[in-house]
Amino acid sequence: MGEESRSLEYTPTWVVAAVCFVIILISLIVERALHRLGKLLLRRNLEALFAALQKLKEELMLLGFISLLLTVFQAPISQICIPEDLASHMLPCKLENNSSKGPETSAHSTTLGRRLLSGDTSSQKCSHKGMVPFLSMEGLHQLHIFIFVLAVVHVIFCVTTMLLGGARIRQWKHWEDSIKNEISKNKAGKYIPTSKAMIVSLKIQLMSFFTDPANASRVHARHHLEFFRQHAVGHWRKWAPISLMISFFKQFYGSITKSDYIALRLGFITTHCPSYPSFDFHNYMMRTLEVDFKKVVSISWYLWLFVVVFLLLNIEGWHTYFWLAFLPLILLLIVGTKLEHIITRLAEEVAERTGDHEEPQVRPSDEHFWFSNPKLVLYMIHFILFQNSFEIAFFIWIWTMYGFDSCIMEKLSYIIPRLLVGVLVQVLCSYSTLPLYALVTQMGSAFKEGMFDKELQDFLIEWGRRREKE
């Protein structure tokens, strides 16, 4: 019996005990860490993040079940034999005959083949029939590792993006505080002066704005002027190609300005809670982002289907993963351009209404989004993050399994662009697209889950139960 095929019957007990002890210890540490993190989130009333953590545990359980299935069925799968001609098509690496190789290469290949076959009796059984295994034990083991790496990298990428994006959005908190302070001062009779130059340039369109008696409207006057100037001044901006081009480049610098934030904030509050102008819009936006994180961190069925499709297309000479690396970048740029263009369209609509002596105010509407569905943006961001993590996870898996010089890894000229694009997508999504999503998707016709904080939600639920009993 070969050394590689030695079973537990002939393995020292201290080896078995040591391996089990290490595996169990690591599992317990991870489980306790997740449990303590959940208790911390509950103590801080972060219910949405706690729900996301529970979703993460579900994904880990699914991953464990997939691993269990691969372990249980590896013997039956490896014993399936197929013709050698059928196994020579759609290969990730070009299959070369030993006769075309040098003596050193042939010797290395023969040694490697003997080492793999020594512990794989199914390969020997198939070879006696003039066939090859459907999937060898070694291949099942490597596939098992790939699924694990993919899930871990996806979770890390999602958590990193949400943390960095959330940190970026928290920088807007001082905008929220400043507008509340201005409203308070305005109520005390201290009105804020506006820029005369800006009033002169837009006095025709904004005359009705300054005659509005509401305190909150006076406070937002200066920022609305700047908002219109940035997005709606100039007839050339109304031409769709120019408007889309401006939106495309704006996502790279100053994607959200203070005027944008305050104008959209006022539009949301006036539409959904007009009697509460001091509504904490920033806090609400952070709550909705935490709720959305539950969706982003999960790996949906269509994402697993995506994995299967691109594993199928990993054929030698196609450079599938090189071209695939640009897909998340293209989609991310499209999403960012769309979100910026929605802000522009909202400003243009306000400018058009001011000519009819209406109050210039942003009006949220689902019509500005693809298929009138703001949730579609979240699905696209979810797919972008998963696809980017899939690309990086595949690189890490190939590197650890086969080495940097593997034929699947391809040339250095293909590797460097893939890694650079992956980093670019991660940074752009964290600091531009995700903050844009968090703000602009509030401009839908309805408010999102998370409109009310935990205490108010509990009160409304309890009130509803009492009403049902009555």
Side-chain angles (χ1 to χ4, degrees):
M1 181 178 294
E3 191 69 22
E4 291 84 355
S5 61
R6 186 172 58 183
S7 67
L8 291 180
E9 295 175 307
Y10 304 98
T11 302
T13 55
W14 66 268
V15 174
V16 178
V19 171
C20 291
F21 174 78
V22 172
I23 294 176
I24 294 173
L25 179 63
I26 294 175
S27 301
L28 289 176
I29 291 175
V30 173
E31 192 276 334
R32 286 290 91 191
L34 293 176
H35 179 71
R36 290 183 178 274
L37 177 59
K39 294 177 64 176
L40 177 63
L41 294 176
L42 289 177
R43 284 200 303 267
R44 296 187 177 183
N45 295 323
L46 299 175
E47 299 291 335
L49 288 182
F50 177 77
L53 179 62
Q54 297 302 111
K55 188 65 178 179
L56 175 60
K57 289 182 178 180
E58 292 179 8
E59 297 299 329
L60 292 177
M61 184 179 68
L62 176 62
L63 175 64
F65 186 71
I66 293 175
S67 301
L68 177 63
L69 289 179
L70 287 174
T71 302
V72 171
F73 291 103
Q74 63 180 359
I77 293 175
S78 62
Q79 291 176 2
I80 300 175
C81 301
I82 60 175
E84 189 172 356
D85 292 339
L86 187 61
S88 61
H89 298 287
M90 301 180 67
L91 297 175
C93 291
K94 186 177 181 180
L95 187 63
E96 298 180 359
N97 296 325
N98 290 338
S99 58
S100 62
K101 301 178 182 179
E104 182 179 353
T105 305
S106 300
H108 173 74
S109 177
T110 304
T111 303
L112 179 61
R114 288 174 179 173
R115 182 177 64 84
L116 294 178
L117 291 175
S118 61
D120 194 350
T121 56
S122 60
S123 298
Q124 298 175 359
K125 292 180 180 179
C126 291
S127 63
H128 292 319
K129 300 178 182 180
M131 306 175 77
V132 294
F134 182 74
L135 184 61
S136 66
M137 298 283 284
E138 182 74 10
L140 280 168
H141 174 67
Q142 294 172 354
L143 182 61
H144 188 175
I145 295 177
F146 170 70
I147 294 176
F148 175 80
V149 172
L150 173 60
V152 171
V153 172
H154 172 66
V155 171
I156 292 175
F157 270 44
C158 289
V159 171
T160 303
T161 301
M162 296 300 293
L163 290 177
L164 296 178
R168 172 71 172 172
I169 297 172
R170 290 186 184 92
Q171 296 176 0
W172 303 344
K173 180 62 176 175
H174 68 279
W175 295 346
E176 184 77 24
D177 296 336
S178 66
I179 198 63
K180 288 182 179 179
N181 293 334
E182 290 178 359
I183 292 176
S184 300
K185 292 179 180 179
N186 194 34
K187 289 181 179 180
K190 299 179 181 179
Y191 293 98
I192 301 172
T194 55
S195 171
K196 292 183 179 180
M198 296 171 67
I199 295 176
V200 171
S201 63
L202 296 172
K203 63 180 181 179
I204 297 177
Q205 295 90 341
L206 303 175
M207 186 62 67
S208 60
F209 184 80
F210 292 102
T211 58
D212 186 280
N215 291 330
S217 295
R218 291 193 183 100
V219 171
H220 291 81
R222 179 178 69 246
H223 302 292
H224 268 80
L225 285 166
E226 184 63 25
F227 178 66
F228 297 142
R229 169 171 286 184
Q230 291 177 356
H231 299 285
V233 175
H235 294 287
W236 52 276
R237 286 179 178 267
K238 298 181 180 180
W239 192 35
I242 298 297
S243 179
L244 288 172
M245 186 180 301
I246 294 174
S247 299
F248 174 81
F249 287 105
K250 191 175 183 297
Q251 64 180 311
F252 299 107
Y253 65 95
S255 57
I256 295 295
T257 63
K258 184 176 182 179
S259 300
D260 295 339
Y261 178 84
I262 294 179
L264 299 183
R265 174 190 182 276
L266 178 62
F268 176 89
I269 292 177
T270 307
T271 301
H272 299 295
C273 45
S275 60
Y276 190 22
S278 59
F279 173 75
D280 196 336
F281 177 71
H282 184 273
N283 192 21
Y284 156 73
M285 189 168 54
M286 291 299 300
R287 289 198 301 269
T288 59
L289 188 63
E290 292 172 359
V291 172
D292 292 337
F293 180 58
K294 179 180 177 181
K295 174 65 180 176
V296 172
V297 76
S298 64
I299 305 180
S300 305
W301 65 268
Y302 53 85
L303 296 180
W304 286 114
L305 181 62
F306 167 85
V307 172
V308 173
V309 170
F310 279 95
L311 287 176
L312 175 67
L313 299 178
N314 182 30
I315 300 175
E316 190 273 333
W318 286 23
H319 308 294
T320 303
Y321 292 104
F322 173 76
W323 302 112
L324 180 64
F326 294 92
L327 178 60
L329 179 61
I330 294 173
L331 293 177
L332 194 65
L333 294 177
I334 292 175
V335 171
T337 302
K338 177 62 176 179
L339 294 174
E340 288 285 0
H341 191 250
I342 289 175
I343 299 177
T344 301
R345 288 294 304 138
L346 290 170
E348 291 174 352
E349 286 185 355
V350 174
E352 293 172 359
R353 291 197 299 270
T354 55
D356 299 329
H357 302 288
E358 293 186 15
E359 179 184 351
Q361 176 183 295
V362 172
R363 292 183 179 177
S365 175
D366 289 345
E367 296 179 357
H368 299 293
F369 296 89
W370 286 308
F371 305 104
S372 299
N373 186 7
K375 292 184 179 180
L376 186 60
V377 180
L378 177 63
Y379 287 106
M380 292 192 67
I381 292 177
H382 186 201
F383 177 79
I384 289 168
L385 288 175
F386 179 81
Q387 198 283 324
N388 192 51
S389 60
F390 172 81
E391 180 70 21
I392 301 300
F394 189 80
F395 170 80
I396 296 174
W397 176 66
I398 294 298
W399 190 8
T400 55
M401 285 288 97
Y402 306 106
F404 198 80
D405 297 329
S406 171
C407 59
I408 306 181
M409 186 71 78
E410 298 182 323
K411 298 179 181 179
L412 188 64
S413 57
Y414 290 100
I415 298 174
I416 294 179
R418 287 168 57 184
L419 296 178
L420 291 178
V421 168
V423 174
L424 178 61
V425 169
Q426 189 72 10
V427 173
L428 184 62
C429 187
S430 300
Y431 286 97
S432 177
T433 309
L434 188 65
L436 267 173
Y437 161 80
L439 179 60
V440 177
T441 52
Q442 309 301 337
M443 295 300 103
S445 301
F447 56 81
K448 294 183 174 182
E449 181 183 354
M451 178 68 174
F452 308 109
D453 56 25
K454 181 64 169 55
E455 291 76 10
L456 187 53
Q457 288 181 25
D458 294 340
F459 171 78
L460 292 175
I461 293 173
E462 183 63 26
W463 178 81
R465 291 174 179 173
R466 291 178 181 178
R467 294 287 295 177
E468 290 179 356
K469 291 180 180 179
E470 295 176 359

